[in-house]
Amino acid sequence: MSTKNRGDRIQLLQKVVTKHFTPVAAPDDRSVLEHMIYACCLEDVAYEVADEAFHRLQESFFDWNEVRVTTVSELCETLHNLPSPAAAALRIKKNLQSLFETRYSFDIDDMVKMNQGKAILELEKLSGMTKFVLGYLTQNALGGHSIPVSDSIMDVLLATEIVSESEAEKGQAPGLERTVPKTKGAAFASCLHQLAVANAQNANGKLTKVIMKEAGAVEPKKKPEKAAPVQPAKLASSGKSKEAEPATSKPKTSKSAPAAKPAPPPASKTLGANKTSATSKSSAASKPPEAGKKATSKKAAPAAAAKKLPTKKTTAKKPASHSPTAKLPSKSLTSKKPTKRKPR
């Protein structure tokens, strides 16, 4: 993104937000510590809601040291009107604890007279310090030129293409202090904060859409939906891929099912068996069953008996020959000698 293009977009955003929103000035009677506590409540929150939470903290606790030793859950009960009371309570508690461990007191008004760069470096070391709180302190308590940027403000800058996605991930917003003069910095920061909160609470609101479009916001492009990837075939235990079975394939038999016994051969095939096999089968059939084996069922007995019956070897008779020389099966005729008759 070129510097000229960034500067033009920042000037357009400044013109739009100051047109639609009224700047909110910070009170002058607050100490540096009170500015810091208020900034912890104001981050990503409307001004009216932050004012109510800050006054409730002042009324509910004796001093800021009591707030420091209070648990986060008890602070959340006091800051219940905030959208994220736990996050605000954690920021307050961490900053107070870091100040106590560093200075052993909560009086940090001497930072106003201190060199601004040195004071900012000291504030950056606090464990609960964020970029928004640091920018708010620099602008309203230390008298410096800084525009506080929160997550909701970064969304507006990203939508108006003032910052790139890589800069938004790093939390950087270059060019704001250089483009907006110091005399208009507080008003611009206040109006920009109001737009960011309204956009975060209701981005689809009619008025919010009009303001964002006027400020040059670009709607994010919808990414095309990708087709669901085809799942690869599952690998078998051996590491080979299983082929997809057709829909008409026969159901697989379970491993536990016993294998089907082969059907007994027909009786006609046993007619040509040799004599030795017939005698062995007859001997096996004549033996009684062993005691340890179970008797076969009644239905299977006849089939088994028919299978084991011995078969005798049959020889085909030769047909009688019709040749003229063939011998007839009739009895042989013997010639009888004539008997002599005695004379009377």
Side-chain angles (χ1 to χ4, degrees), residues 49-122:
V49 180
D51 291 341
E52 182 182 352
F54 179 74
H55 290 308
R56 192 180 294 110
L57 279 175
Q58 290 178 319
E59 295 175 358
S60 301
F61 298 95
F62 178 73
D63 56 5
W64 298 118
N65 186 55
E66 186 180 358
V67 175
R68 178 185 69 87
V69 298
T70 305
T71 61
V72 175
S73 59
E74 293 178 355
L75 288 177
C76 289
E77 294 178 0
T78 306
L79 305 173
H80 62 85
N81 64 318
L82 297 179
S84 300
L90 196 61
R91 286 193 293 267
I92 295 171
K93 187 174 176 63
K94 283 185 176 181
N95 284 326
L96 291 175
Q97 183 65 30
S98 297
L99 279 176
F100 182 78
E101 292 175 357
T102 304
R103 293 198 166 200
Y104 301 102
S105 68
F106 300 113
D107 186 10
I108 55 175
D109 289 339
D110 59 316
M111 289 186 178
V112 178
K113 300 179 181 180
M114 193 186 300
N115 185 4
Q116 192 174 88
K118 186 178 179 180
I120 292 174
L121 289 176
E122 185 176 348

Side-chain angles (χ1 to χ4, degrees), residues 274-287 308 310:
N274 55 13
K275 191 175 182 179
T276 57
S277 61
T279 55
S280 62
K281 288 183 179 180
S282 62
S283 62
S286 60
K287 291 181 180 181
K308 295 181 179 180

Side-chain angles (χ1 to χ4, degrees), residues 194-212:
Q194 296 178 58
L195 173 62
V197 172
N199 182 63
Q201 292 178 352
N202 187 13
N204 296 323
K206 185 177 180 180
L207 182 59
T208 305
K209 280 187 174 182
V210 170
I211 298 174
M212 291 292 292

Side-chain angles (χ1 to χ4, degrees), residues 244-265:
E245 296 182 357
T248 58
S249 61
K250 296 181 180 180
K252 297 180 179 180
T253 57
S254 60
K255 294 182 179 180
S256 60
K261 294 182 179 180

Side-chain angles (χ1 to χ4, degrees), residues 152-170:
S152 57
I153 293 176
M154 187 63 72
D155 292 340
V156 174
L157 299 179
L158 186 61
T160 54
E161 296 185 345
I162 293 175
V163 298
S164 61
E165 293 184 0
S166 59
E167 292 171 344
E169 291 177 358
K170 297 177 183 179

Side-chain angles (χ1 to χ4, degrees), residues 298-319:
K298 294 181 180 181
K299 293 183 180 180
K307 182 180 178 181
K308 295 181 179 180
L309 286 177
T311 57
K312 294 182 179 181
K313 185 177 181 182
T314 59
T315 56
K317 294 181 180 182
K318 295 181 179 181

